[in-house]
Amino acid sequence: MSDFWLVNGWRQQSRATRDIDLYLRQARERGFQNYALTRQGKWYWLVCSADTTLSQQFDLALTVRRTFAKLYQGIYLALWQGQIVCVAWQGQRLQHCVACQHDADGLHHLELLLQRVSDNGNGRPSALLAKSLPEEVVRLCEQHLCQWRLLFEQCTMKELQPTKAAKLKSIQQAPPWQQRQRVFALSLVLMLAAAAIGWYAWPGSATHVTTGRRSRGS
């Protein structure tokens, strides 16, 4: 399952569906092929991918957030395919979902990211360190997340269980509210058509026949 995680996708967030509609139009114009859209509290999380080689992909950010749903603020760190993966969130907002190379440049980028995340910590957030995380990454967390709870031996990305909501679908498929609007519009058209057919087919000629017979009898 770990081969199918989407990490470095094109991500957008908003509380308004009109913004998501705009982002999806931009994604189609940019050539993205798939997307996942989920609601996290009052926010919509959108991620788009241009990858067409895999039959299925799952959004890592949503899966991690749902896995650790009880944590208001957290950061998840894991080793995946030779890269260091970082997912950070605060409440209903996603802060980061990136994969860095496991080299000097990648560790430097991760260190800057940890510094930014630590500056925005509220209360006592949690850092979730997956099993088999490189020792140098653990030291960075101990250095820059000293005010955080460090939770070791957490599940690896291979052990994460994605939900149906995290699965990417074709960019050509409309989001749920557009589908509901289309169903409502179609239902309304069918109702109006049925009412019109019923009105025209109603037996109103009987009145004219009865009136004509009375005139001949008189």
Side-chain angles (χ1 to χ4, degrees), residues 26-156:
Q26 293 176 349
R28 295 185 186 99
E29 292 171 356
R30 297 183 183 190
F32 289 104
Q33 300 297 317
N34 307 291
Y35 79 102
L37 176 65
T38 54
R39 189 169 183 173
Q40 186 65 34
K42 295 182 179 180
W43 286 83
Y44 290 99
W45 290 14
L46 172 68
V47 61
C48 301
S49 170
D51 195 344
T52 60
T53 60
L54 300 178
S55 59
Q56 59 181 357
Q57 282 186 310
F58 294 89
D59 179 24
L60 177 68
L62 174 68
T63 302
V64 169
R65 186 66 185 95
R66 296 286 174 88
T67 302
F68 304 101
K70 294 182 179 180
L71 297 180
Y72 176 79
Q73 184 174 10
I75 182 170
Y76 172 80
L77 292 158
L79 180 66
W80 176 67
Q81 294 184 345
Q83 296 180 313
I84 306 300
V85 174
C86 174
V87 180
W89 68 91
Q90 186 175 32
Q92 302 170 1
R93 299 294 309 277
L94 178 66
Q95 295 177 303
H96 301 283
C97 184
V98 297
C100 307
Q101 292 297 326
H102 186 200
D103 55 20
D105 291 337
L107 289 174
H108 179 64
H109 178 73
L110 178 62
E111 183 176 15
L112 295 176
L113 188 151
L114 292 177
Q115 290 175 355
R116 291 196 298 270
V117 171
S118 64
D119 292 338
N120 297 323
N122 292 324
R124 195 173 179 217
S126 301
L128 305 150
L129 311 183
K131 290 173 285 187
S132 303
L133 196 65
E135 184 62 32
E136 55 268 30
V137 178
V138 175
R139 289 196 297 268
L140 285 178
C141 293
E142 293 173 340
Q143 178 182 354
H144 297 288
L145 302 177
C146 56
Q147 302 300 321
W148 292 46
R149 290 185 304 163
L150 299 183
L151 305 178
F152 298 91
E153 296 298 310
Q154 300 297 310
C155 58
T156 64

Side-chain angles (χ1 to χ4, degrees), residues 1-2 10 21 25 64 100 110 138 160 176-177 188 201 204 216:
M1 186 63 70
S2 62
W10 187 70
D21 289 336
R25 286 198 297 270
V64 169
C100 307
L110 178 62
V138 175
L160 290 171
W177 56 84
L188 182 60
R216 289 193 296 270

Side-chain angles (χ1 to χ4, degrees), residues 13-21 23 42-44 177:
Q13 298 176 77
S14 178
R15 301 174 74 173
T17 57
R18 63 178 179 275
D19 293 337
I20 300 300
D21 289 336
Y23 296 145
K42 295 182 179 180
W43 286 83
Y44 290 99
W177 56 84

Side-chain angles (χ1 to χ4, degrees), residues 165-182:
K167 185 176 181 180
L168 273 72
K169 57 186 178 182
S170 171
I171 196 72
Q172 302 305 323
Q173 294 187 34
W177 56 84
Q178 288 188 11
Q179 295 179 11
R180 289 193 294 267
Q181 291 171 355
R182 292 175 182 177

